Amino acid sequence: MIVVNPAPLDTSYVPEKLFFRDDKIATIQSTVIDPSASGITNNIIIHGDSGTGKTSTVKFLMRDNKSIIYENALSFRNVKNLLEHVISRLGRPVSYRGLSYSDIFSTLNSIISFRGNIILVIDEATGMLKGDSTGLYNLFRASEIYGTELSTILISMESPFMYMERKYGTIVELKFNKYSSDEINRIITDRASMALDPGTCPDSILQYISEISGQFGSARFAIELLQKAAYMAEYRLSKTIENDDVRSAVSLINP
Ligand SMILES: Nc1ncnc2c1ncn2[C@@H]1O[C@H](COP(=O)(O)OP(=O)(O)O)[C@@H](O)[C@H]1O
Ligand SMILES: [Mg+2]
């Protein structure tokens, strides 16, 4: 057995320790989370390539903050649909005919008046950012138009710069940079120590995976490579992971 604990090799795993993102955490905390607790709404757009820790960083922040609600934009046609879902999640009925924006925000106002401020995270929002200008306008200006204490954290792979319209108001932009090979090495060393039997994954393998993944700056790619290579080695009934297992893993995944 090489893999003794598969969970940390899953790309949806949110680790106890998030490396190299203290500055991003502090920025999100100080621009959105802290102000929201005192009734000030701000909006932020997080962007950066795949595997740069965008989703994990907000999920990490959600552990200590019950006012953050997470949704993935890919499950919804548009902003209105997503907000209707949030409302029904929070226990309010939504008629099958749907709601108008003013219905939506007055319902949110009443929810917020007893539940407290809400910070809405919309992950994988590139499509929404390009395609739903009315929705974004209502969402980003909700505080001024409807008096709703709703802050939004939007997450997108592409830089939002091209799609941002003036009417959305002031939005903080936060870019997540690619990880260097050394940073990736630190991240996967941690995962390997949690997931793999000691002695089955030499440092040279972690180094090799980090070098390959460093080209893309993606921790996701690195973790997937580690996972696939480990199972490849298990399948061969080998006691350790070898370079060839990593090479086979590379041919299975696109970064
Ligand atoms: N700074 C980090 N420290 C530890 N693990 C990380 C870090 N950044 C990313 N990861 C891991 O890499 C994988 C991909 O990260 P994710 O947050 O999904 O990236 P993104 O949302 O930017 O595509 C996840 O398994 C995540 O736990
Ligand atoms: Mg993500």
Side-chain angles (χ1 to χ4, degrees):
M1 276 271 271
I2 292 180
V3 180
V4 288
N5 175 23
L9 299 181
D10 195 292
T11 49
S12 64
Y13 181 83
V14 181
E16 280 305 312
K17 273 177 290 177
L18 207 56
F19 300 101
F20 317 114
R21 289 301 184 227
D22 289 348
D23 58 332
K24 307 295 178 206
I25 289 173
T27 304
I28 299 169
Q29 190 81 42
S30 66
T31 54
V32 184
I33 298 180
D34 293 344
S36 168
S38 38
I40 298 162
T41 62
N42 278 321
N43 301 305
I44 188 167
I45 298 190
I46 294 174
H47 62 99
D49 289 339
S50 168
T52 52
K54 304 180 297 297
T55 301
S56 323
T57 300
V58 297
K59 294 230 161 139
F60 184 80
L61 284 161
M62 284 172 73
R63 288 192 172 152
D64 310 321
N65 195 313
K66 299 292 162 233
S67 57
I68 307 176
I69 294 177
Y70 176 93
E71 294 292 349
N72 189 308
L74 298 179
S75 314
F76 304 96
R77 264 178 315 184
N78 50 38
V79 172
K80 192 187 262 183
N81 243 222
L82 185 147
L83 290 173
E84 285 169 349
H85 174 79
V86 169
I87 286 175
S88 74
R89 238 182 98 174
L90 296 172
R92 299 300 176 94
V94 175
S95 122
Y96 70 94
R97 274 178 269 114
L99 300 172
S100 68
Y101 278 112
S102 75
D103 291 339
I104 286 174
F105 287 103
S106 70
T107 308
L108 283 172
N109 284 344
S110 105
I111 294 171
I112 289 168
S113 69
F114 70 85
R115 191 190 183 275
N117 63 310
I118 294 177
I119 299 165
L120 176 62
V121 175
I122 307 183
D123 202 353
E124 316 230 31
T126 309
M128 233 171 228
L129 199 58
K130 289 181 191 171
D132 188 4
S133 139
T134 309
L136 292 177
Y137 171 71
N138 280 282
L139 187 65
F140 290 141
R141 303 297 282 257
S143 151
E144 294 142 81
I145 307 174
Y146 307 101
T148 308
E149 280 179 32
L150 175 75
S151 300
T152 302
I153 299 175
L154 215 72
I155 305 177
S156 160
M157 292 234 288
E158 284 177 33
S159 162
F161 184 68
M162 278 159 57
Y163 314 109
M164 289 315 284
E165 298 181 29
R166 241 217 184 95
K167 65 177 184 184
Y168 295 162
T170 313
I171 299 175
V172 179
E173 216 190 289
L174 185 61
K175 169 145 202 234
F176 278 48
N177 293 318
K178 293 177 191 229
Y179 292 117
S180 67
S181 296
D182 287 347
E183 288 174 330
I184 290 175
N185 198 308
R186 183 73 193 83
I187 292 170
I188 59 170
T189 301
D190 186 53
R191 296 300 173 93
S193 74
M194 286 187 278
L196 308 178
D197 208 13
T200 58
C201 183
D203 288 347
S204 62
I205 289 293
L206 295 172
Q207 186 62 37
Y208 185 43
I209 293 176
S210 308
E211 271 159 28
I212 298 170
S213 315
Q215 295 168 273
F216 311 102
S218 168
R220 176 199 308 275
F221 185 53
I223 292 167
E224 278 189 82
L225 282 184
L226 180 62
Q227 182 199 49
K228 299 267 185 308
Y231 284 119
M232 212 69 89
E234 262 188 16
Y235 181 74
R236 292 192 299 111
L237 303 177
S238 167
K239 285 196 163 45
T240 56
I241 305 173
E242 282 162 27
N243 280 355
D244 270 345
D245 297 312
V246 178
R247 278 190 279 271
S248 313
V250 171
S251 67
L252 288 177
I253 343 175
N254 292 316

